[in-house]
Amino acid sequence: MADRVLMTLDGEARDPDAPLVHADDIGVLRGDGVFETLLVRGGRACAVELHLARLAASADALDLPEPDPEEWRAAVDLAAEEWGSDREGILRLIYTRGREGAGSPTAFLLVTEVPERVQRTRREGVSVVTLERGFSVDIARTAPWQLVGAKTLSYATNMAALRHAEALGVDDVIYTSSERYVLEGPRSTVVIARGRTLLTPPPEMGVLPGTTQRALFDLAGDYDFSVRYEPLRPADLIVADGVWLVSSVARAARVHTLDGHPLSVGSLVGTVEELVDKAVDAAP
Amino acid sequence: MADRVLMTLDGEARDPDAPLVHADDIGVLRGDGVFETLLVRGGRACAVELHLARLAASADALDLPEPDPEEWRAAVDLAAEEWGSDREGILRLIYTRGREGAGSPTAFLLVTEVPERVQRTRREGVSVVTLERGFSVDIARTAPWQLVGAKTLSYATNMAALRHAEALGVDDVIYTSSERYVLEGPRSTVVIARGRTLLTPPPEMGVLPGTTQRALFDLAGDYDFSVRYEPLRPADLIVADGVWLVSSVARAARVHTLDGHPLSVGSLVGTVEELVDKAVDAAP
């Protein structure tokens, strides 16, 4: 069984051990492109439509040509099928500005194994450190060129923040704004529970709209939860009835420790994780 | 004459039209790597040592393995020689974290033609718009994971800022901090003249240390200029005796218009451009 599946957007399978991208691809030279990460489970990709919609929004923010949803949908299905149904996989959709001077984008799909870290995260939850991102919550309005609502290939700072956490012996990061509002994780959305209300920071505050959070919020009403977009402070997390980092691959990782403070294990722990699973499985 | 030269770090020439980079290279997937851009003139690369020193500093900021200066120097010489001496070229050094799980970096060199835009910039100068970067000048201290002093492959926001300028009919950008201090251009350092004093913002304010600015400052004393690192406001640029965006490829681009205000053509215009040329040619 292949440990990786690589496919170009036209559905052609490629050897993952053969080079695919040209040296002068602006995606390589400038991180100038966008991506999505989907979970493959049971031979199909999860929440495809939510991810394709966000891919289109990110492409729009970067003035990239509009991705053709039909074409991507077909390639996603093929790649997931090729990966097979007997194990989970991480499917990445990569869409760059293409080679210098070519004027046509580069697009491919890559499926890889789910790292052991993710299994541990699902099982045990995560410890988190809050790190200042250095932006105001006004950033999306005052500096749209900072592309905070787009999922770009320029993720070096997110990787640096995660290395910083690792050096502190902590699993993950929650960014705060320069006003000390809660923003998001480098690869996840923050969701908290206050009683049976689920809350997350509004996207207008300069966070990436989360596909998993969106699926959760869409389904929550059916399970007697209310949902709300609301500015949150770190203190709101400390006193919450549960804090999760939700994302496509790990789904709901319970935050058990924040900046060294153990967070209480409320009665909702377990319930919300199950709800996230149901929501993503039901998502378009 | 080839319109591009591509070389791996071992000095092996590669076909620039054949793919070089693997789909799972973290440089592609996450913009996780660093780069340098050098001017090739007369068959040799300019200011090689300054660029190799900054490459090493950037790599250090990203916890990448220390680049071997001997190896890079040899490859730079080879690539410049291969490009030839009868035209200028842009030499890019690319150094990524490598393929996922491989634990060894990807390194290559690419020489391409100098775009007509650069020739025009040298001849005519540039119009510039100030854009807020959204960071405080404290960023390097409060959020080192934002990597503001490192030249990373995650340049999507710089590209977006330049597209924004283009949409405004303006040639280039000067970023300002959230306190409205002058920072830098997306691909250049801001230098102004106040009489025979050259000034630039201190790197501690969250700007990339400029190799060309550094060469200029090193030589300026020999030509009866004094130099100073000093916080600057946009108003300081308006009343300056000259404002330049200095960079490896364009060298010194005089700013003739800032946010719609024509800047005065002082007696130093021309002098500073020549000095930058001398400085870079003399730089190690």
Side-chain angles (χ1 to χ4, degrees), chain A residues 171-222:
Chain A
D171 300 317
D172 216 322
V173 169
I174 291 177
Y175 287 122
T176 55
S177 75
S178 49
E179 304 89 352
R180 284 287 282 164
Y181 282 107
V182 169
L183 295 174
E184 62 192 344
R187 54 188 171 202
S188 58
T189 312
V190 176
V191 172
I192 76 169
R194 196 180 284 158
R196 289 192 75 86
T197 302
L198 301 176
L199 301 104
T200 197
E204 298 76 42
M205 292 180 78
V207 304
L208 188 72
T211 54
T212 305
Q213 166 268 319
R214 168 70 186 279
L216 171 63
F217 274 35
D218 283 352
L219 193 72
D222 297 356

Side-chain angles (χ1 to χ4, degrees), chain A residues 4 97 99 132 145, chain B residues 4 97 99 132 145 163:
Chain A
R4 277 161 304 155
R97 200 171 299 279
R99 299 181 66 187
E132 191 180 317
W145 38 88
Chain B
R4 278 160 304 156
R97 199 172 299 280
R99 298 182 66 187
E132 190 178 317
W145 37 88
R163 280 195 303 277

Side-chain angles (χ1 to χ4, degrees), chain A residues 128-144:
Chain A
V128 165
V129 61
T130 56
L131 296 182
E132 191 180 317
R133 190 156 67 175
F135 285 133
S136 160
V137 292
D138 286 335
I139 186 78
R141 191 177 50 77
T142 59

Side-chain angles (χ1 to χ4, degrees), chain B residues 42-228:
Chain B
R44 58 176 279 275
C46 303
V48 175
E49 296 308 317
L50 292 178
H51 284 285
L52 290 184
R54 192 170 63 184
L55 186 75
S58 297
D60 184 57
L62 268 71
D63 294 324
L64 288 166
E66 191 181 343
D68 179 346
E70 287 287 336
E71 215 177 353
W72 280 96
R73 203 176 286 126
V76 162
D77 288 349
L78 265 178
E81 193 181 321
E82 179 80 14
W83 182 250
S85 58
D86 35 1
R87 59 189 168 158
E88 291 187 342
I90 298 180
L91 166 58
R92 278 178 283 204
L93 317 183
I94 307 286
Y95 185 57
T96 88
R97 199 172 299 280
R99 298 182 66 187
E100 275 189 338
S104 64
T106 298
F108 63 89
L109 303 88
L110 178 68
V111 196
T112 52
E113 285 171 357
V114 175
E116 165 54 25
R117 173 186 63 74
V118 171
Q119 305 297 355
R120 201 170 53 242
T121 288
R122 288 175 180 163
R123 230 170 25 236
E124 300 169 14
V126 287
S127 58
V128 165
V129 62
T130 56
L131 295 184
E132 190 178 317
R133 191 156 67 175
F135 285 134
S136 161
V137 292
D138 286 337
I139 186 77
R141 190 176 51 75
T142 58
W145 37 88
Q146 285 294 350
L147 304 171
V148 287
K151 198 167 173 73
T152 80
L153 295 175
S154 287
Y155 253 43
T157 63
N158 287 325
M159 298 297 102
L162 290 169
R163 280 195 303 277
H164 184 84
E166 196 184 356
L168 296 173
V170 173
D171 300 316
D172 215 321
V173 169
I174 292 177
Y175 286 122
T176 55
S177 74
S178 49
E179 304 89 352
R180 283 287 283 165
Y181 281 108
V182 168
L183 296 174
E184 62 192 345
R187 54 189 170 201
S188 59
T189 312
V190 176
V191 172
I192 75 169
R194 195 181 283 160
R196 289 192 75 86
T197 302
L198 302 176
L199 301 105
T200 197
E204 298 75 43
M205 293 179 77
V207 304
L208 188 73
T211 53
T212 306
Q213 166 269 317
R214 168 70 187 281
L216 171 64
F217 275 35
D218 284 352
L219 192 73
D222 296 356
Y223 290 81
D224 198 26
F225 279 95
S226 60
V227 298
R228 209 154 70 219

